[in-house]
Structure formats: C-alpha cells, structure tokens
Amino acid sequence: MRILVVEDDSILADGLRVGLGMAGFTADVVSCLEDARAALAGAEYRALVLDLMLPDGSGLDLLRELRAGRAGLPVLLLTARDQVEDRVAGLDAGADDYLGKPFDLDELAARLRALSRRSDGRAAAQISHAGLELDPGTRSAAFNGQPLKLSRREFAVLQALAERPGRVLAKSDLEDRLYGWDEEVESNAVEVHIHHLRAKLGRDFIETLRGIGYRLRPEETSPSRSASASS
C-alpha cells in the first residue's frame, strides 16, 4: 500500500517512513504543499497522511483542492491541532479521518488499513480469495488452511492482486505499490516475486496476460495447491 505523507518535521517524517514501512506500507514523504501537489500529480497513492501546519500554507488548502476536483483519495489529517473545532473543520473540509499528535504508530497504521478497506468497499479486515487468506494487520497469510511464509514484498504483491482479484495489474502498477522514491527497482523484481508466489500457491493461481499484466485466477476456477502439484 503506497501512501503519501506530508509532514514538515524531518525527524517525525523519517520515523513515519521507517515505521510505516515496517507495518507494510510504502511511504513517500514530502514537507510542503508544493511538493505534495507534484507528488500527487506524478503517482497514484492509496492514502494521504496530511499535516495541517506546513511552511507554505495549511493542509486544509490541499484537502479542499482535492475534494473540489472530486478526488476520492482517502485523507487522514495528522496534526497537533487537536481541539474539537479543529477536528470538525478538518472532517467538514473532506478528511476521512483525524488523528492528533502525539499518536501511536500502530493506531495510525490500523486507521490507514481501515481507510483502504472502505475505499475498496470491504468491511472485513481479512482478504479472502479461492482458499487464500490474507491479514494485512498481522501480515499473516494462509492457503487452503495452511500457513504461508511470505517475504514483505511477496505479501505486498499478493495483497495488491487479492484486493481486486478480477482486475489486471500492470508490472508498473505493482512496482508503484512496492517501491518508494528512494528505492532502486531491479528490472525483473516483479517477475521474481511472482515466480516465488507461484511456487507456493501453484503455477496457475496468478495469471499472466502477456503485454498487459497479472491477475488472480477467478475464484470459481482457481485450482488448489494440491491439484496444481499433481498436474
């Protein structure tokens, strides 16, 4: 889950980038509205974590711009301005959630996962598809009732595909979900992760549409791992 964090406190911003990364997020961090606008124009994010008091203006200005443009990007306001009137103003301006500083990183991560679920139209915290069970909160996975051991990148690829199992995701889409600005992406990284996942789930569980991308096989025809192994 790639998110954008707009925070001008460099120590806090770095802590958010590292801490959210450990929770399974890919966080791009900027410190002002100008850079935030440029980032939003150049990449697709699943959520925006937005401070209110920034060097070049108020985060509410950016929030209002997004909502005026009918952007449905989930926005969580993260700010030291935590009076009732501040929370009301932020929510009425279009924020989806509001968290005051100081805050607990685990709570922030849980709120971001909840925003993602609502954005996807899901109520359950777990993601299920054709015998696959993913829990983004605990970073755990199982297939046909058996625990799956996945690397952080493998889990992220599988989560991206399982969130919308009928949708084809291009290689570039998966790279955007997996890597932030400061991370070097090897040309075959996605293919390597897909190969490892097929070894654990069965070679037909993830379909390749040549020249287009990847998707999970539709649920009614997804083979079990044991069936794949016997073919």
Side-chain angles (χ1 to χ4, degrees):
M1 180 175 173
R2 189 176 183 184
I3 64 172
L4 179 64
V5 176
V6 188
E7 171 58 61
D8 66 326
D9 183 320
S10 59
I11 295 177
L12 177 57
D14 190 58
L16 285 168
R17 181 182 59 78
V18 174
L20 289 172
M22 294 176 65
F25 299 90
T26 299
D28 293 336
V29 179
V30 296
S31 60
C32 64
L33 294 176
E34 181 181 4
D35 290 346
R37 292 184 180 102
L40 290 168
E44 182 177 347
Y45 294 98
R46 296 300 305 280
L48 170 64
V49 177
L50 180 61
D51 191 7
L52 289 183
M53 296 178 288
L54 296 164
D56 53 349
S58 170
L60 288 180
D61 295 334
L62 177 59
L63 177 58
R64 292 189 182 103
E65 290 172 18
L66 290 172
R67 297 309 182 229
R70 300 188 180 277
L73 176 70
V75 177
L76 184 149
L77 296 180
L78 185 67
T79 176
R81 292 172 56 179
D82 195 30
Q83 298 299 312
V84 172
E85 56 269 27
D86 296 318
R87 297 197 296 270
V88 169
L91 293 169
D92 282 346
D96 299 277
D97 203 353
Y98 198 111
L99 187 59
K101 300 174 183 177
F103 61 92
D104 184 271
L105 187 61
D106 288 339
E107 181 182 0
L108 173 60
R111 287 173 180 265
L112 287 170
R113 288 191 294 269
L115 289 180
S116 177
R117 290 198 302 273
R118 291 201 291 269
S119 179
D120 291 339
R122 292 188 292 111
Q126 290 75 33
I127 303 171
S128 302
H129 178 78
L132 175 68
E133 299 285 339
L134 298 177
D135 188 334
T138 61
R139 313 298 296 165
S140 60
F143 186 54
N144 291 337
Q146 299 299 314
L148 273 180
K149 186 175 182 180
L150 302 174
S151 70
R152 182 169 71 91
R153 304 286 195 203
E154 289 168 2
F155 191 98
V157 169
L158 202 51
Q159 181 179 348
L161 293 170
E163 283 172 344
R164 299 182 180 88
R167 178 184 174 189
V168 179
L169 292 182
K171 176 182 175 180
S172 59
D173 294 329
L174 292 172
E175 288 174 342
D176 285 344
R177 290 285 295 268
L178 291 171
Y179 300 98
W181 293 332
D182 57 350
E183 296 179 285
E184 184 175 350
V185 184
E186 295 185 9
S187 61
N188 66 337
V190 169
E191 289 87 348
V192 170
H193 296 315
I194 294 291
H195 174 77
H196 290 163
L197 288 170
R198 283 173 171 156
K200 298 172 183 181
L201 297 166
R203 61 184 178 84
D204 295 325
F205 195 84
I206 301 175
E207 295 182 327
T208 299
L209 282 75
R210 295 198 178 278
I212 303 176
Y214 303 94
R215 70 178 179 189
L216 296 189
R217 182 178 289 275
E219 189 156 9
E220 63 273 11
T221 59
S222 287
S224 67
R225 179 165 49 184
S226 59
S228 296
S230 63
S231 62

